[in-house]
Coordinates of all heavy atoms in Angstrom, one line a residue:
M298 N 52.5 4.0 4.3 CA 53.0 4.6 3.1 C 52.0 4.4 1.9 O 51.4 3.4 1.8 CB 54.3 3.9 2.7 CG 55.0 4.6 1.6 SD 56.7 4.0 1.4 CE 56.5 2.6 0.3
I299 N 51.9 5.4 1.1 CA 51.0 5.4 0.0 C 51.6 4.5 -1.1 O 52.7 4.7 -1.4 CB 50.7 6.8 -0.5 CG1 50.0 7.6 0.6 CG2 49.8 6.8 -1.8 CD1 49.9 9.1 0.2
P300 N 50.8 3.6 -1.7 CA 51.4 2.8 -2.8 C 51.8 3.7 -4.0 O 51.2 4.8 -4.2 CB 50.2 1.9 -3.2 CG 49.3 1.8 -2.0 CD 49.5 3.2 -1.3
L301 N 52.7 3.2 -4.8 CA 53.2 3.9 -5.9 C 52.2 4.2 -6.9 O 52.1 5.4 -7.4 CB 54.4 3.1 -6.6 CG 55.0 3.8 -7.8 CD1 55.7 5.0 -7.4 CD2 55.9 2.8 -8.5
M302 N 51.3 3.3 -7.2 CA 50.3 3.5 -8.2 C 49.3 4.6 -7.9 O 48.9 5.4 -8.7 CB 49.5 2.2 -8.5 CG 48.6 2.2 -9.7 SD 49.5 2.6 -11.2 CE 50.2 1.1 -11.5
Y303 N 48.9 4.6 -6.6 CA 48.0 5.7 -6.2 C 48.6 7.1 -6.3 O 47.9 8.0 -6.7 CB 47.5 5.4 -4.7 CG 46.7 4.2 -4.5 CD1 46.5 3.7 -3.3 CD2 46.0 3.6 -5.6 CE1 45.8 2.5 -3.1 CE2 45.2 2.5 -5.4 CZ 45.1 2.0 -4.1 OH 44.3 0.9 -3.9
G304 N 49.8 7.2 -5.9 CA 50.5 8.5 -6.0 C 50.7 8.9 -7.4 O 50.5 10.1 -7.8
L305 N 51.0 8.0 -8.3 CA 51.2 8.3 -9.7 C 49.9 8.6 -10.4 O 49.8 9.5 -11.3 CB 51.9 7.2 -10.5 CG 53.4 7.0 -10.1 CD1 54.0 5.9 -10.9 CD2 54.2 8.3 -10.3
I306 N 48.8 8.0 -10.0 CA 47.5 8.3 -10.5 C 47.1 9.7 -10.0 O 46.6 10.5 -10.8 CB 46.4 7.3 -10.1 CG1 46.6 5.9 -10.8 CG2 45.0 7.8 -10.3 CD1 45.8 4.8 -10.3
F307 N 47.4 10.0 -8.8 CA 47.1 11.4 -8.3 C 47.9 12.4 -9.1 O 47.3 13.5 -9.5 CB 47.4 11.5 -6.8 CG 47.3 12.8 -6.2 CD1 46.1 13.5 -6.1 CD2 48.5 13.5 -5.8 CE1 46.0 14.7 -5.6 CE2 48.4 14.8 -5.3 CZ 47.2 15.4 -5.2
A308 N 49.2 12.2 -9.3 CA 50.0 13.1 -10.0 C 49.5 13.3 -11.5 O 49.5 14.4 -12.0 CB 51.4 12.6 -10.0
S309 N 49.1 12.2 -12.1 CA 48.6 12.3 -13.5 C 47.3 13.0 -13.6 O 47.0 13.7 -14.5 CB 48.6 10.9 -14.1 OG 47.6 10.1 -13.4
I310 N 46.4 12.8 -12.6 CA 45.2 13.6 -12.5 C 45.4 15.1 -12.4 O 44.8 15.9 -13.1 CB 44.3 13.0 -11.4 CG1 43.7 11.7 -11.8 CG2 43.1 14.0 -11.1 CD1 42.9 11.0 -10.6
L311 N 46.4 15.4 -11.5 CA 46.7 16.8 -11.4 C 47.3 17.4 -12.7 O 46.9 18.5 -13.2 CB 47.8 17.0 -10.3 CG 47.3 17.1 -8.9 CD1 48.6 17.3 -8.0 CD2 46.4 18.3 -8.7
F312 N 48.1 16.6 -13.4 CA 48.7 17.1 -14.6 C 47.6 17.2 -15.7 O 47.7 18.2 -16.5 CB 49.8 16.1 -15.1 CG 50.6 16.6 -16.2 CD1 51.7 17.4 -16.0 CD2 50.3 16.3 -17.5 CE1 52.5 17.9 -17.0 CE2 51.1 16.7 -18.6 CZ 52.1 17.6 -18.3
V313 N 46.7 16.3 -15.8 CA 45.7 16.4 -16.8 C 44.7 17.5 -16.5 O 44.3 18.2 -17.5 CB 44.9 15.0 -16.9 CG1 43.6 15.1 -17.7 CG2 45.8 14.0 -17.5
I314 N 44.4 17.8 -15.3 CA 43.6 19.0 -14.9 C 44.2 20.2 -15.4 O 43.6 21.1 -16.0 CB 43.2 19.0 -13.4 CG1 42.2 17.9 -13.1 CG2 42.7 20.3 -13.0 CD1 42.0 17.7 -11.6
G315 N 45.5 20.3 -15.1 CA 46.3 21.5 -15.5 C 46.4 21.6 -17.1 O 46.2 22.7 -17.6
L316 N 46.5 20.5 -17.7 CA 46.6 20.5 -19.2 C 45.3 21.0 -19.8 O 45.3 21.7 -20.8 CB 47.0 19.1 -19.7 CG 47.2 19.0 -21.2 CD1 48.4 19.8 -21.6 CD2 47.4 17.5 -21.6
L317 N 44.2 20.5 -19.3 CA 42.9 20.9 -19.8 C 42.6 22.4 -19.5 O 42.1 23.1 -20.4 CB 41.8 20.1 -19.1 CG 41.6 18.6 -19.5 CD1 40.6 17.9 -18.7 CD2 41.3 18.6 -21.0
G318 N 43.1 22.9 -18.4 CA 43.0 24.3 -18.1 C 43.8 25.2 -19.1 O 43.3 26.2 -19.5
V319 N 45.0 24.7 -19.5 CA 45.8 25.4 -20.4 C 45.1 25.4 -21.8 O 45.1 26.4 -22.5 CB 47.2 24.8 -20.5 CG1 48.0 25.3 -21.7 CG2 48.0 25.1 -19.2
M320 N 44.5 24.3 -22.2 CA 43.9 24.2 -23.5 C 42.6 24.9 -23.6 O 42.3 25.4 -24.7 CB 43.8 22.7 -23.9 CG 45.1 22.0 -24.1 SD 45.0 20.2 -24.2 CE 43.7 20.0 -25.4
I321 N 41.9 25.0 -22.5 CA 40.5 25.5 -22.6 C 40.5 27.0 -22.3 O 39.8 27.8 -23.0 CB 39.6 24.7 -21.7 CG1 39.4 23.3 -22.2 CG2 38.2 25.4 -21.5 CD1 38.6 22.4 -21.2
R322 N 41.1 27.5 -21.3 CA 41.0 28.8 -20.8 C 41.8 29.8 -21.7 O 42.8 29.5 -22.2 CB 41.5 29.0 -19.4 CG 40.7 28.3 -18.4 CD 39.4 29.0 -18.3 NE 38.7 28.5 -17.1 CZ 37.8 29.2 -16.4 NH1 37.5 30.4 -16.9 NH2 37.2 28.8 -15.4
R323 N 41.2 31.0 -21.8 CA 41.9 32.1 -22.6 C 42.3 33.2 -21.6 O 42.8 34.3 -22.1 CB 41.0 32.7 -23.7 CG 40.6 31.6 -24.7 CD 41.7 30.9 -25.4 NE 42.6 31.8 -26.1 CZ 43.8 31.5 -26.5 NH1 44.2 30.3 -26.4 NH2 44.5 32.4 -27.2
N324 N 42.0 33.1 -20.4 CA 42.4 34.1 -19.4 C 43.8 33.8 -18.9 O 44.1 32.7 -18.5 CB 41.3 34.0 -18.2 CG 41.5 35.1 -17.3 OD1 42.5 35.7 -17.1 ND2 40.4 35.3 -16.5
L325 N 44.6 34.9 -18.8 CA 46.0 34.7 -18.5 C 46.2 34.2 -17.0 O 47.0 33.4 -16.7 CB 46.8 36.0 -18.7 CG 48.3 35.9 -18.5 CD1 48.9 34.9 -19.5 CD2 48.9 37.3 -18.7
Y326 N 45.3 34.7 -16.1 CA 45.4 34.3 -14.7 C 45.2 32.8 -14.6 O 45.9 32.1 -13.9 CB 44.4 35.1 -13.9 CG 44.5 34.7 -12.4 CD1 45.5 35.0 -11.6 CD2 43.4 34.0 -11.9 CE1 45.5 34.7 -10.3 CE2 43.4 33.6 -10.6 CZ 44.5 33.9 -9.8 OH 44.5 33.6 -8.5
F327 N 44.1 32.3 -15.2 CA 43.8 30.9 -15.2 C 44.8 30.0 -15.9 O 45.1 28.9 -15.6 CB 42.4 30.6 -15.6 CG 41.3 31.0 -14.7 CD1 40.5 32.1 -15.0 CD2 41.2 30.4 -13.5 CE1 39.6 32.6 -14.0 CE2 40.2 30.8 -12.6 CZ 39.4 31.9 -12.9
L328 N 45.4 30.6 -17.0 CA 46.5 29.9 -17.7 C 47.7 29.7 -16.8 O 48.2 28.6 -16.7 CB 46.9 30.7 -18.9 CG 47.9 30.1 -19.8 CD1 47.4 28.9 -20.6 CD2 48.5 31.1 -20.7
L329 N 48.1 30.7 -16.0 CA 49.2 30.6 -15.1 C 48.8 29.6 -14.0 O 49.7 28.8 -13.6 CB 49.5 31.9 -14.5 CG 50.2 32.9 -15.4 CD1 50.3 34.3 -14.7 CD2 51.6 32.4 -15.8
L330 N 47.6 29.7 -13.5 CA 47.2 28.7 -12.5 C 47.2 27.3 -13.0 O 47.6 26.4 -12.2 CB 45.8 29.1 -12.0 CG 45.2 28.4 -10.8 CD1 46.0 28.7 -9.6 CD2 43.8 28.7 -10.6
S331 N 46.8 27.1 -14.2 CA 46.8 25.7 -14.8 C 48.3 25.2 -15.0 O 48.5 24.0 -14.8 CB 46.1 25.7 -16.1 OG 44.8 26.1 -16.0
L332 N 49.2 26.1 -15.3 CA 50.6 25.7 -15.4 C 51.1 25.3 -14.1 O 51.9 24.4 -14.0 CB 51.4 26.8 -16.1 CG 51.2 27.1 -17.5 CD1 51.9 28.4 -18.0 CD2 51.6 25.9 -18.3
V333 N 50.7 26.0 -13.1 CA 51.2 25.7 -11.7 C 50.6 24.3 -11.3 O 51.4 23.5 -10.7 CB 50.8 26.8 -10.7 CG1 51.0 26.3 -9.3 CG2 51.6 28.0 -11.0
I334 N 49.4 24.0 -11.6 CA 48.8 22.7 -11.3 C 49.5 21.6 -12.1 O 49.8 20.5 -11.5 CB 47.3 22.7 -11.6 CG1 46.6 23.6 -10.7 CG2 46.7 21.3 -11.6 CD1 45.1 23.9 -11.0
M335 N 49.9 21.8 -13.3 CA 50.7 20.9 -14.1 C 52.0 20.6 -13.4 O 52.5 19.5 -13.3 CB 50.9 21.3 -15.5 CG 49.7 21.2 -16.4 SD 49.9 21.9 -18.0 CE 51.2 20.9 -18.7
N336 N 52.7 21.7 -13.0 CA 54.0 21.5 -12.3 C 53.8 20.8 -11.0 O 54.7 20.0 -10.6 CB 54.6 22.9 -12.1 CG 55.2 23.4 -13.4 OD1 55.6 22.7 -14.3 ND2 55.1 24.8 -13.5
N337 N 52.8 21.0 -10.3 CA 52.5 20.3 -9.0 C 52.3 18.8 -9.3 O 52.7 18.0 -8.4 CB 51.3 20.9 -8.3 CG 51.7 22.2 -7.6 OD1 52.8 22.5 -7.4 ND2 50.6 23.0 -7.4
G338 N 51.7 18.5 -10.4 CA 51.6 17.1 -10.7 C 52.9 16.4 -10.9 O 53.2 15.3 -10.5
A339 N 53.8 17.1 -11.7 CA 55.1 16.5 -11.9 C 55.9 16.5 -10.6 O 56.6 15.5 -10.4 CB 55.8 17.4 -12.9
I340 N 55.8 17.4 -9.8 CA 56.5 17.4 -8.5 C 56.0 16.3 -7.6 O 56.8 15.6 -6.9 CB 56.5 18.8 -7.8 CG1 57.3 19.8 -8.6 CG2 56.9 18.8 -6.4 CD1 57.0 21.3 -8.3
A341 N 54.7 16.1 -7.6 CA 54.1 15.0 -6.8 C 54.6 13.7 -7.3 O 54.9 12.8 -6.5 CB 52.6 15.1 -6.8
A342 N 54.7 13.5 -8.6 CA 55.3 12.3 -9.1 C 56.7 12.1 -8.7 O 57.1 10.9 -8.4 CB 55.2 12.3 -10.6
L343 N 57.5 13.1 -8.7 CA 58.9 13.0 -8.2 C 58.9 12.6 -6.7 O 59.7 11.7 -6.3 CB 59.6 14.3 -8.4 CG 60.1 14.7 -9.8 CD1 60.6 16.1 -9.8 CD2 61.1 13.7 -10.2
F344 N 58.1 13.2 -5.9 CA 58.1 12.9 -4.5 C 57.6 11.4 -4.2 O 58.2 10.7 -3.4 CB 57.2 13.8 -3.7 CG 57.9 15.0 -3.2 CD1 57.5 16.3 -3.6 CD2 59.0 14.9 -2.3 CE1 58.1 17.4 -3.2 CE2 59.6 16.1 -1.9 CZ 59.2 17.3 -2.3
V345 N 56.6 11.0 -4.9 CA 56.1 9.6 -4.8 C 57.1 8.6 -5.2 O 57.4 7.6 -4.5 CB 54.8 9.5 -5.6 CG1 54.4 8.0 -5.6 CG2 53.7 10.3 -4.9
A346 N 57.7 8.8 -6.4 CA 58.7 7.9 -6.9 C 60.0 7.8 -6.0 O 60.5 6.8 -5.7 CB 59.1 8.2 -8.3
S347 N 60.4 9.0 -5.5 CA 61.6 9.0 -4.6 C 61.3 8.3 -3.3 O 62.2 7.7 -2.7 CB 62.1 10.4 -4.4 OG 61.2 11.2 -3.6
S348 N 60.1 8.5 -2.7 CA 59.8 7.8 -1.5 C 59.6 6.3 -1.7 O 59.8 5.5 -0.8 CB 58.5 8.4 -0.8 OG 57.4 8.2 -1.6
Y349 N 59.1 5.9 -2.9 CA 58.9 4.5 -3.1 C 60.2 3.8 -3.2 O 60.4 2.7 -2.6 CB 58.1 4.3 -4.4 CG 57.9 2.9 -4.8 CD1 56.9 2.1 -4.1 CD2 58.6 2.3 -5.8 CE1 56.7 0.8 -4.4 CE2 58.4 0.9 -6.1 CZ 57.5 0.2 -5.4 OH 57.3 -1.1 -5.8
W350 N 61.2 4.3 -3.9 CA 62.5 3.7 -4.1 C 63.5 4.1 -3.0 O 64.7 3.8 -3.0 CB 63.1 4.0 -5.4 CG 62.4 3.2 -6.5 CD1 62.4 1.8 -6.6 CD2 61.6 3.6 -7.6 NE1 61.7 1.4 -7.7 CE2 61.2 2.5 -8.3 CE3 61.2 4.9 -8.0 CZ2 60.4 2.6 -9.4 CZ3 60.5 5.0 -9.1 CH2 60.1 3.9 -9.8
Q351 N 63.0 4.9 -2.0 CA 63.8 5.4 -0.9 C 65.1 6.0 -1.3 O 66.2 5.8 -0.8 CB 64.0 4.2 0.1 CG 62.8 3.7 0.7 CD 63.0 2.5 1.5 OE1 64.0 1.9 1.5 NE2 61.9 2.1 2.2
Q352 N 65.0 6.9 -2.3 CA 66.2 7.7 -2.8 C 65.9 9.2 -2.5 O 64.8 9.6 -2.8 CB 66.4 7.5 -4.3 CG 66.7 6.0 -4.7 CD 68.1 5.7 -4.2 OE1 69.0 6.5 -4.3 NE2 68.3 4.4 -3.8
S353 N 66.9 9.9 -2.0 CA 66.6 11.3 -1.8 C 66.9 12.1 -3.0 O 66.6 13.3 -3.0 CB 67.5 11.7 -0.6 OG 68.9 11.6 -1.0
D354 N 67.4 11.5 -4.1 CA 67.7 12.3 -5.3 C 66.4 12.9 -5.9 O 66.4 14.1 -6.3 CB 68.3 11.4 -6.4 CG 69.7 10.9 -5.9 OD1 70.2 11.5 -5.0 OD2 70.1 9.9 -6.5
G355 N 65.3 12.2 -5.9 CA 64.1 12.7 -6.4 C 63.5 13.8 -5.6 O 62.9 14.8 -6.1
E356 N 63.7 13.8 -4.3 CA 63.2 14.8 -3.4 C 64.0 16.1 -3.6 O 63.5 17.2 -3.6 CB 63.3 14.4 -2.0 CG 62.3 13.3 -1.7 CD 62.4 12.7 -0.3 OE1 63.3 13.2 0.5 OE2 61.7 11.8 0.1
V357 N 65.3 16.0 -3.8 CA 66.2 17.1 -4.1 C 65.8 17.8 -5.4 O 65.6 19.0 -5.5 CB 67.7 16.8 -4.1 CG1 68.5 17.9 -4.6 CG2 68.1 16.3 -2.7
L358 N 65.5 16.9 -6.4 CA 65.1 17.4 -7.7 C 63.7 18.1 -7.6 O 63.5 19.1 -8.3 CB 65.0 16.3 -8.7 CG 64.7 16.6 -10.2 CD1 65.8 17.6 -10.7 CD2 64.6 15.4 -11.0
A359 N 62.8 17.6 -6.8 CA 61.5 18.2 -6.6 C 61.6 19.5 -5.9 O 60.9 20.5 -6.3 CB 60.6 17.2 -5.8
I360 N 62.5 19.6 -5.0 CA 62.7 20.9 -4.3 C 63.3 22.0 -5.3 O 62.8 23.1 -5.3 CB 63.6 20.8 -3.1 CG1 62.9 20.0 -2.0 CG2 64.1 22.2 -2.5 CD1 63.7 19.6 -0.8
L361 N 64.2 21.5 -6.2 CA 64.7 22.4 -7.2 C 63.6 22.8 -8.2 O 63.5 23.9 -8.7 CB 65.8 21.8 -8.0 CG 67.1 21.7 -7.2 CD1 68.2 20.9 -8.0 CD2 67.7 23.0 -6.8
A362 N 62.7 21.8 -8.5 CA 61.5 22.1 -9.4 C 60.6 23.1 -8.7 O 60.0 24.0 -9.4 CB 60.8 20.8 -9.7
V363 N 60.4 23.0 -7.4 CA 59.6 24.0 -6.7 C 60.1 25.4 -6.8 O 59.4 26.4 -7.0 CB 59.4 23.6 -5.2 CG1 58.8 24.7 -4.4 CG2 58.5 22.4 -5.1
T364 N 61.4 25.6 -6.7 CA 62.0 26.9 -6.9 C 61.9 27.4 -8.3 O 61.7 28.6 -8.5 CB 63.5 26.9 -6.5 OG1 64.2 25.9 -7.3 CG2 63.7 26.5 -5.0
G365 N 61.9 26.5 -9.3 CA 61.7 26.9 -10.6 C 60.3 27.3 -10.9 O 60.0 28.3 -11.6
V366 N 59.3 26.6 -10.2 CA 57.9 27.0 -10.3 C 57.7 28.4 -9.7 O 56.9 29.2 -10.2 CB 57.0 25.9 -9.7 CG1 55.6 26.4 -9.5 CG2 57.0 24.7 -10.5
L367 N 58.3 28.6 -8.6 CA 58.2 30.0 -7.9 C 58.7 31.1 -8.8 O 58.1 32.2 -8.9 CB 58.9 29.9 -6.6 CG 58.3 29.1 -5.5 CD1 59.1 29.1 -4.2 CD2 56.9 29.5 -5.2
A368 N 59.8 30.8 -9.5 CA 60.4 31.8 -10.4 C 59.4 32.0 -11.6 O 59.2 33.2 -12.0 CB 61.7 31.4 -10.9
Q369 N 58.8 30.9 -12.1 CA 57.8 31.0 -13.2 C 56.6 31.8 -12.7 O 56.1 32.7 -13.5 CB 57.4 29.6 -13.6 CG 56.4 29.6 -14.6 CD 55.9 28.1 -14.9 OE1 56.3 27.2 -14.3 NE2 54.9 28.0 -15.8
I370 N 56.2 31.6 -11.5 CA 55.0 32.3 -11.1 C 55.3 33.8 -10.9 O 54.5 34.7 -11.3 CB 54.5 31.8 -9.7 CG1 53.9 30.4 -9.9 CG2 53.5 32.7 -9.0 CD1 53.7 29.7 -8.6
S371 N 56.5 34.2 -10.4 CA 56.8 35.6 -10.3 C 56.9 36.3 -11.6 O 56.4 37.4 -11.8 CB 58.1 35.7 -9.5 OG 59.2 35.2 -10.2
V372 N 57.5 35.6 -12.6 CA 57.6 36.3 -13.9 C 56.2 36.4 -14.6 O 55.8 37.4 -15.1 CB 58.6 35.5 -14.8 CG1 58.5 35.9 -16.3 CG2 60.0 35.6 -14.3
G373 N 55.4 35.3 -14.4 CA 54.1 35.3 -15.0 C 53.2 36.4 -14.3 O 52.4 37.1 -15.0
L374 N 53.3 36.6 -13.0 CA 52.5 37.6 -12.4 C 52.9 39.0 -12.8 O 52.1 39.9 -12.9 CB 52.5 37.4 -10.9 CG 51.7 36.2 -10.4 CD1 51.9 36.1 -8.8 CD2 50.2 36.4 -10.7
A375 N 54.2 39.2 -13.0 CA 54.7 40.5 -13.5 C 54.2 40.8 -14.9 O 53.8 41.9 -15.1 CB 56.3 40.5 -13.5
L376 N 54.2 39.7 -15.7 CA 53.6 39.9 -17.0 C 52.1 40.2 -17.0 O 51.5 41.0 -17.7 CB 53.8 38.7 -17.9 CG 55.3 38.5 -18.4 CD1 55.4 37.1 -19.1 CD2 55.7 39.6 -19.3
L377 N 51.4 39.6 -16.0 CA 50.0 39.8 -15.8 C 49.7 41.2 -15.4 O 48.8 41.9 -15.9 CB 49.4 38.8 -14.8 CG 47.9 38.9 -14.5 CD1 47.1 38.5 -15.7 CD2 47.6 38.0 -13.3
V378 N 50.5 41.7 -14.5 CA 50.3 43.1 -14.0 C 50.6 44.1 -15.1 O 49.8 45.1 -15.3 CB 51.3 43.4 -12.8 CG1 51.3 44.9 -12.5 CG2 50.8 42.6 -11.6
K379 N 51.6 43.8 -16.0 CA 51.9 44.7 -17.1 C 50.8 44.6 -18.1 O 50.4 45.7 -18.7 CB 53.2 44.3 -17.7 CG 53.8 45.2 -18.7 CD 54.2 46.5 -18.0 CE 55.0 47.4 -18.8 NZ 55.3 48.6 -18.2
L380 N 50.2 43.5 -18.3 CA 49.0 43.3 -19.3 C 47.8 44.1 -18.8 O 47.2 44.8 -19.6 CB 48.7 41.9 -19.5 CG 47.5 41.6 -20.4 CD1 47.8 41.9 -21.8 CD2 47.1 40.1 -20.3
I381 N 47.6 44.0 -17.5 CA 46.4 44.7 -16.9 C 46.7 46.3 -17.1 O 45.7 47.0 -17.4 CB 46.2 44.3 -15.5 CG1 45.7 42.9 -15.4 CG2 45.2 45.2 -14.8 CD1 45.7 42.4 -14.0
Y382 N 47.9 46.7 -16.8 CA 48.2 48.1 -16.9 C 48.1 48.6 -18.3 O 47.6 49.7 -18.5 CB 49.6 48.3 -16.4 CG 50.1 49.8 -16.5 CD1 49.6 50.7 -15.6 CD2 51.0 50.2 -17.4 CE1 50.0 52.0 -15.6 CE2 51.5 51.5 -17.4 CZ 51.0 52.4 -16.6 OH 51.4 53.7 -16.6
R383 N 48.5 47.8 -19.3 CA 48.4 48.3 -20.7 C 47.1 48.1 -21.4 O 46.6 49.0 -22.0 CB 49.5 47.6 -21.5 CG 50.9 47.9 -21.2 CD 51.5 48.6 -22.3 NE 52.8 49.1 -21.9 CZ 53.9 49.0 -22.6 NH1 53.8 48.5 -23.8 NH2 55.0 49.5 -22.2
R384 N 46.5 46.9 -21.2 CA 45.3 46.5 -22.0 C 44.0 46.6 -21.2 O 42.9 46.5 -21.7 CB 45.5 45.1 -22.6 CG 46.7 45.0 -23.4 CD 46.5 45.6 -24.8 NE 47.7 45.5 -25.5 CZ 47.8 45.0 -26.7 NH1 46.7 44.6 -27.3 NH2 48.9 45.0 -27.4
K385 N 44.1 46.6 -19.9 CA 42.9 46.6 -19.0 C 42.1 45.3 -19.1 O 40.9 45.4 -18.8 CB 42.0 47.8 -19.2 CG 42.7 49.2 -19.2 CD 43.1 49.5 -17.8 CE 43.6 51.0 -17.7 NZ 45.0 51.1 -17.8
N386 N 42.7 44.2 -19.5 CA 41.9 42.9 -19.5 C 42.9 41.8 -19.3 O 44.1 41.9 -19.4 CB 41.1 42.8 -20.8 CG 42.0 42.7 -22.0 OD1 43.2 42.7 -21.9 ND2 41.3 42.6 -23.1
F387 N 42.4 40.6 -19.1 CA 43.2 39.4 -18.8 C 43.3 38.5 -20.1 O 43.9 37.5 -20.0 CB 42.5 38.5 -17.7 CG 42.6 39.1 -16.4 CD1 41.5 39.2 -15.6 CD2 43.8 39.6 -15.9 CE1 41.6 39.7 -14.3 CE2 43.9 40.1 -14.6 CZ 42.8 40.2 -13.8
N388 N 42.7 38.9 -21.2 CA 42.5 38.0 -22.3 C 43.9 37.9 -23.1 O 44.5 38.9 -23.4 CB 41.5 38.5 -23.3 CG 41.0 37.5 -24.3 OD1 41.5 36.4 -24.3 ND2 40.0 37.9 -25.1
I389 N 44.2 36.6 -23.4 CA 45.5 36.4 -24.1 C 45.4 36.8 -25.6 O 46.4 37.2 -26.2 CB 45.9 34.9 -24.0 CG1 46.1 34.5 -22.6 CG2 47.1 34.6 -24.8 CD1 46.3 33.1 -22.3
D390 N 44.2 36.8 -26.1 CA 44.0 37.1 -27.5 C 44.4 38.6 -27.8 O 44.8 38.9 -28.9 CB 42.6 36.8 -28.0 CG 42.3 35.4 -28.0 OD1 43.2 34.6 -28.2 OD2 41.1 35.0 -27.8
S391 N 44.3 39.4 -26.8 CA 44.6 40.8 -27.0 C 46.2 41.0 -27.2 O 46.6 42.0 -27.7 CB 44.1 41.7 -25.9 OG 44.9 41.4 -24.7
L392 N 46.9 40.0 -26.8 CA 48.4 40.1 -26.9 C 48.8 39.8 -28.4 O 49.9 40.2 -28.8 CB 49.1 39.1 -26.0 CG 49.0 39.3 -24.5 CD1 49.6 38.1 -23.8 CD2 49.6 40.6 -24.1
S393 N 48.0 39.2 -29.1 CA 48.4 38.8 -30.5 C 48.2 40.0 -31.5 O 48.5 39.9 -32.6 CB 47.6 37.6 -31.0 OG 46.2 37.9 -31.1
E394 N 47.5 41.1 -31.0 CA 47.3 42.2 -31.9 C 48.6 43.0 -32.0 O 49.3 43.3 -31.0 CB 46.2 43.1 -31.3 CG 44.9 42.4 -31.2 CD 43.9 43.3 -30.5 OE1 44.2 44.4 -30.0 OE2 42.8 42.8 -30.3
M395 N 49.0 43.3 -33.2 CA 50.2 44.0 -33.5 C 49.9 45.5 -33.6 O 48.9 45.9 -34.2 CB 50.9 43.6 -34.8 CG 51.3 42.1 -34.8 SD 52.8 41.8 -34.1 CE 53.9 42.6 -35.2
K396 N 50.7 46.3 -32.9 CA 50.5 47.8 -33.0 C 51.9 48.3 -33.5 O 52.9 47.9 -33.1 CB 50.2 48.3 -31.6 CG 48.8 48.2 -31.3 CD 48.5 49.0 -30.1 CE 47.0 49.1 -29.9 NZ 46.6 50.0 -28.8
G397 N 51.8 49.3 -34.3 CA 53.0 49.9 -34.9 C 53.1 51.4 -34.5 O 52.4 52.0 -33.9

């Protein structure tokens, strides 16, 4: 069994990598990918903690979180396809332009 500290360090590294990707990138595709990496870090922490304390509640919550992440990905990819169709680019800054 993996020790609790190693699993939490791994989960926090995943979360920080995703957070840096959200803060640095301006491309919508990489922004969505970074959000998924952040969510995977949180889900990994849930799995590690639930296996350490031998409780199945954390694993059930992690499975529910995975379904939430899948819904988030599907909505984000739909928005990405709509952005490509309308603006022909992936840049988030083009979304801030107001048109009347």
